[in-house]
Each structure stands twice: as structure tokens, then as C-alpha cells.
Amino acid sequence: MSDKRIAVIGGTGDQGKGLALRWARAGFEIIIGSRDAARAVAAADAMRATLESNGSGSVRITGAANPEAAVSASIVVLTVPFAAQVGTLKEIRERLAPGSLLVDVTVPLEPAVGGKPTRTLGVWAGSAAEQCAELSPPGVEVVSAFHNVSADALADLEHEAECDILVCGDSKEAKARLRPLIAAIAGCRYVDGGPLANSRTVEAMTALLIGLNIRYKTHTGIRITGLKE
Amino acid sequence: MSDKRIAVIGGTGDQGKGLALRWARAGFEIIIGSRDAARAVAAADAMRATLESNGSGSVRITGAANPEAAVSASIVVLTVPFAAQVGTLKEIRERLAPGSLLVDVTVPLEPAVGGKPTRTLGVWAGSAAEQCAELSPPGVEVVSAFHNVSADALADLEHEAECDILVCGDSKEAKARLRPLIAAIAGCRYVDGGPLANSRTVEAMTALLIGLNIRYKTHTGIRITGLKE
């Protein structure tokens, strides 16, 4: 399997949809995963229609239940609400092929327990990404990324997304597998965010940005200044 | 007292020096505070010499022991290592005038207990800024800011500092008192970072940026994208 096939688990949510749209448009083959296969297929059909009416030509985007989506891709991107992270991982982990890359996008926002989206919950493992790694089978590499880029910015295909993507993980090679996926989103830039544990901070930054979005009535992202890459 | 007089407590350290240089050059009157008055005076003399040889004309920058520095300014900026934060606050808190603004720049980096500068310690109060607020007398407003701007960038007077300054605090008016101090640093921009508790994230971002500085051999800062201000 090549890294051109990406499963977006929870791909019927806003963050998953935005990423799937950008990647499908760039020529990646996308499988939308959902707990409900019919919802996944409907979401995939709607995205294909959006892209084709947008002049993107023929795009490859299909839908499936989460386990079927996970089994069929070498890069599996987890974009579910925090409250669904553990359950979804338990549902897909036996289906992940050795050598596949699991990309956690989960942010432990407080609404998982009825709180505010401008605040995060403490996670015993340290971060949602580290919790994801604890629940992943051997042979599957876990990295985290795409927390800070706004779903609205991703869905707005006419504009660049204007956000650096901090990629956290304990293997430099695993992180580098995301370079083509990030290069495929206009306005995004790959930044090596350090070890997986740094996801603690990158996840929390999402809540900070949500606060800025509310305060400034806009959608924000981040740039790291001073990098010469 | 006007907000043109700023005490920089711990102003013999890198972050304090960088801020003091920028503000003195912009016409603010600076009092460098240190536990050791003689060290504060020596640091102030060196900074004055740097600025005057740099063509900044006559600048007002003096040194004093921390309590004397704190009593004489309406804005007091705390730039000490985390291990010194509580002790310094106990030393100065009785001297802070009601109505003065206390600006906490402390980051709870792990070297306080012998660890890595790319990691932070957990603080019972939630953040160094909230710990500062717990130790502050009534009538003194506490905000936090300037965590993410690199001391190297501040000291490099020939270049812009290229960093947004996320200001956290529970009073919009108190936060706004920092606008002129931020506008005085070329390349910096005021961003309302939300409540003081958001300092948890902004402080942690400093450790993340230190990691990037090491990994990319540079000095980094942050920009929030998508703000229309």
C-alpha cells in the first residue's frame, strides 16, 4: 500500500471533512470512515460533488464503516471528538496493518464533558496523542498533527489555510511521511514539533485559538517565525 | 505615577534585559531590579552604554534592589527563573502600589528542578501566572505576557522581534495597559490571549519554541494568522 491512500476516520466531522476535501483535490485517494457506513458514503458523495462542481476533475473519495476504512489505507487519520477517541481506537486497532501510520488529530476539549471549547481536559497519558499511542498495536507508528488548522479554513477551498502544521512524534521518519499531505494543503507548512509528548502543548493551543476565534470573530491559525527551512 | 515608568524585576537576566533595552530605547523610564542592587546598577549602566553607542540618544535606565525597583513604578514586570518566582514575589509584594500592574513573564521550565528547557513543570495553581496572582496583594492587577518572544531577538536591536505577544489576564483594561509597551517593540503585536488561566498554554508554548530553536538552530517566535485588527 502506498501513502497515496488515506483513511479519514471520523471523516464526517468538520475537521475530517476539511482535510479530506484538500487531500482528495490534490490527488490522494480518500476513504471516509464513520461508525455508520451509510453516513460515510453520503459524506463522501457530497464531498465528491463539491469538488467536481468546483472544477477539480475526477477525484477518488469513498465511504465505509471505520474498521473497513482503516484496513484499506497506509495512513489512517483520526479526527473524532475526544469523547469518541478511545471507542474508535478500540474499533479500528485490530485492523491497522503493521507499518501503517496513525495520525491523531484529537484535541481533549472540555465539551467532551459538557465544558467550554476554549479549555482542555487533563489526560492521564499526558495528551490525546499519547493516549492514542497507548491504545495502538505494535508496528503502527503514531504521530499527531493538524490540530491547529481551522476546519473553516480547510473547507474554504478558494483560500490558503495559512497555518503551520506542528507534527509531534517519536520517529523522525514517521513524521516525515506527513510532508506530502501537508504540502498538498495550500498555505500549510510542515514543522517538526518534537516528541509525541509535545502534543500536550499543541493540543492546548487549539483551545487557545478557539478562544481567539470567538474573541476576534474570525478563524485563526499559527505561524512559527524565524524558521529557515 | 504614569505607565511610562517600568520596573523590570530580574532585569539582569536575558529576557529582562532584552525587554528593558527595547523599552528604554522607545523612551520609557526603566528601573532594573535584582536581588543584588550592585548587579542591577551594573546591568543598567551596561545597557545605557549599549543604547547610547547605538545612537539611541539619552535613555533613562537605572538599577536598584528588587523592592526599591518595585515601589517606584506603576508597571512591574517579573522576569525571573521559575525557581525564583515565589521568593521574588514575597520580597516585592508589600511594595507594590495599589493600582499598579504586575506583568508575569515566568515560564515553569523544567531546569528549575534540573530538567530540560523543552519541558514544563506542572504548577498547582495551573500556571506560573496564576501562582503569581495568588501571591499578589489586593488592588494589584496581574497579567501575563512576553513569554514567547525570544531574548535573542529582543537583544538584536537591528532587527524586528517578529512575534505576537499573547496577553492573558482577567481584566480587559489591565491587559490593554500593555499595548504601548508592545507597540514599542518593532515586530511585536498585541493579541488578547484571554483569561489569566490561558497562560497555562502560552507558558507551555515557550518550551515548545525552545525545542524548535534547538531542532532548527534558530530563534523562533509565533504569529497568529487570520486576525483582522
Side-chain angles (χ1 to χ4, degrees), chain B:
Chain B
M1 276 191 297
S2 96
D3 281 358
K4 294 293 280 179
R5 236 172 114 75
I6 308 170
V8 182
I9 305 299
T12 57
D14 289 339
Q15 198 74 3
K17 263 188 204 167
L19 291 168
L21 281 169
R22 295 281 182 161
W23 290 330
R25 186 168 70 158
F28 288 90
E29 184 178 349
I30 304 297
I31 309 106
I32 298 293
S34 171
R35 268 172 55 183
D36 175 351
R39 279 193 65 209
V41 169
D45 289 346
M47 283 187 249
R48 194 184 316 105
T50 298
L51 287 168
E52 291 180 352
S53 77
N54 230 16
S56 302
S58 165
V59 296
R60 291 176 297 171
I61 179 162
T62 54
N66 284 331
E68 286 67 53
V71 80
S72 64
S74 64
I75 296 188
V76 176
V77 183
L78 187 63
T79 64
V80 295
F82 181 58
Q85 190 202 27
V86 169
T88 306
L89 280 166
K90 287 181 175 169
E91 192 186 17
I92 66 170
R93 63 181 167 185
E94 304 303 331
R95 315 299 285 271
L96 298 169
S100 64
L101 180 71
L102 181 55
V103 184
D104 189 56
V105 188
T106 314
V107 177
L109 296 173
E110 230 188 43
V113 296
K116 298 181 184 182
T118 55
R119 312 205 299 197
T120 51
L121 294 165
V123 180
W124 194 267
S127 61
E130 289 161 281
Q131 177 165 285
C132 176
E134 284 186 356
L135 290 165
S136 299
V140 170
E141 301 262 25
V142 174
V143 300
S144 76
F146 306 110
H147 311 89
N148 300 149
V149 60
S150 134
D152 289 334
L154 288 171
D156 178 4
L157 296 170
E158 307 306 312
H159 293 95
E160 298 203 347
E162 265 203 283
C163 193
D164 283 349
I165 305 299
L166 289 159
V167 182
C168 300
D170 297 329
S171 152
K172 233 176 154 57
E173 293 68 35
K175 288 188 273 194
R177 286 172 72 181
L178 288 188
R179 283 186 179 273
L181 279 71
I182 293 169
I185 306 174
C188 287
R189 177 175 63 162
Y190 178 97
V191 176
D192 181 349
L196 195 65
N198 276 4
S199 201
R200 297 167 193 194
T201 302
V202 181
E203 292 168 20
M205 285 163 65
T206 300
L208 189 79
L209 293 173
I210 290 172
L212 289 169
N213 293 349
I214 295 169
R215 221 168 298 120
Y216 286 87
K217 299 178 178 51
T218 182
H219 50 252
T220 55
I222 58 133
R223 283 271 183 242
I224 304 298
T225 63
L227 291 182
K228 311 144 221 157
E229 220 205 336

Side-chain angles (χ1 to χ4, degrees), chain A residues 78-203:
Chain A
L78 188 63
T79 64
V80 295
F82 181 57
Q85 190 203 28
V86 170
T88 306
L89 281 166
K90 288 182 175 168
E91 192 186 16
I92 67 170
R93 64 181 167 184
E94 303 303 330
R95 314 300 285 272
L96 298 168
S100 64
L101 181 71
L102 181 55
V103 184
D104 189 56
V105 188
T106 313
V107 177
L109 296 174
E110 232 188 41
V113 296
K116 297 182 184 182
T118 56
R119 314 206 297 198
T120 52
L121 295 166
V123 179
W124 194 267
S127 60
E130 290 162 281
Q131 177 164 286
C132 177
E134 285 186 355
L135 290 165
S136 299
V140 170
E141 301 263 25
V142 174
V143 300
S144 76
F146 305 110
H147 311 87
N148 300 149
V149 58
S150 132
D152 289 333
L154 289 171
D156 178 4
L157 296 169
E158 307 307 313
H159 292 96
E160 299 203 346
E162 266 203 282
C163 193
D164 283 350
I165 305 300
L166 289 159
V167 181
C168 300
D170 296 330
S171 153
K172 234 179 154 53
E173 293 68 35
K175 287 188 274 195
R177 286 172 71 182
L178 287 189
R179 284 187 179 274
L181 279 70
I182 293 169
I185 306 174
C188 288
R189 177 173 64 161
Y190 178 97
V191 176
D192 181 350
L196 195 65
N198 277 5
S199 201
R200 297 167 195 194
T201 302
V202 181
E203 292 168 18

